[in-house]
Amino acid sequence: MMPDDPPSPHPADALIREIIGTGRIVLESEIIAIVERIATAPFDPRMDAIVPMKDRGLTYRGAILGARESALTYHLVKRVVADRQWVEGTSEQECVSDLRRAVREADARVVVYRRRGGSLAAVVTRNRLIPKILGSEAAPWMLIVLAADRGTIITGYQMSSATPPNLPQDALWLR
């Protein structure tokens, strides 16, 4: 989102921003709406995401990462090749589908917070992906993050702990 872009008008995105701004008590129906939003939001549509130097040159399915790639392409290559969380052969659509299923797990925890001036909502859940799609460095937890200002999923990955890395102290756990 560019500085002059208006925030996402989606009701759940506005709800996330309001909860972060006020810190108010949240109804279960509102948590359900946030979870559904994360589960159905598009993945970051940017076609020119900056690829960090350490990941440039990674190769996957015949493509070599350059300085700029689509956000989804970079995300997939990072998770399959660099992090080895998903098995070789995983497509962009399969990875996003796995993230969407994880968001809807009954025991998923939901947290909202601000980072670098943006409003975020995240889901933390056990990694229940089937073994045949897990990479050699699969981890027991998953984190899926939605940028409420843009209305898009900005990342999703596996992690070793139930606590997301770099979570601000004032993050609000909704469930």
Side-chain angles (χ1 to χ4, degrees):
M1 187 167 123
M2 298 303 294
D4 294 336
D5 290 345
S8 166
H10 191 283
D13 297 336
L15 174 62
I16 292 164
R17 293 189 301 267
E18 183 221 334
I19 293 166
I20 293 169
T22 65
R24 70 172 176 78
I25 303 253
V26 182
L27 303 172
E28 182 62 23
S29 60
E30 293 173 319
I31 296 170
I32 290 168
I34 291 168
V35 167
E36 185 60 19
R37 173 60 173 161
I38 298 170
T40 58
F43 199 92
D44 188 344
R46 288 179 298 158
M47 297 305 291
D48 64 345
I50 297 172
V51 176
M53 288 297 294
K54 67 180 177 56
D55 294 329
R56 293 177 189 176
L58 291 176
T59 304
Y60 185 61
R61 297 181 127 188
I64 301 171
L65 289 185
R68 292 186 175 268
E69 299 290 342
S70 81
L72 183 52
T73 297
Y74 170 59
H75 181 271
L76 178 67
V77 174
K78 180 165 177 52
R79 301 305 173 222
V80 173
V81 178
D83 300 341
R84 295 190 297 251
Q85 295 178 346
W86 272 264
V87 71
E88 287 276 338
T90 301
S91 70
E92 292 176 348
Q93 296 78 15
E94 290 166 331
C95 185
V96 171
S97 180
D98 293 341
L99 298 175
R100 292 185 191 293
R101 273 193 308 281
V103 167
R104 289 190 166 116
E105 290 291 343
D107 60 350
R109 297 187 66 208
V110 181
V111 61
V112 297
Y113 55 99
R114 291 191 67 76
R115 160 123 328 144
R116 296 185 191 123
S119 298
L120 304 172
V123 168
V124 176
T125 188
R126 281 241 173 244
N127 184 348
R128 292 185 177 91
L129 297 176
I130 59 173
K132 75 177 189 175
I133 65 173
L134 294 174
S136 62
E137 299 296 321
W141 295 92
M142 293 184 75
L143 175 74
I144 301 89
V145 181
L146 172 101
D149 299 325
R150 290 186 259 169
T152 62
I153 295 172
I154 56 171
T155 193
Y157 56 89
Q158 300 171 33
M159 57 186 189
S160 59
S161 167
T163 304
N166 305 318
L167 196 63
Q169 286 187 335
D170 61 348
L172 300 170
W173 286 95
L174 306 183
R175 101 155 68 121

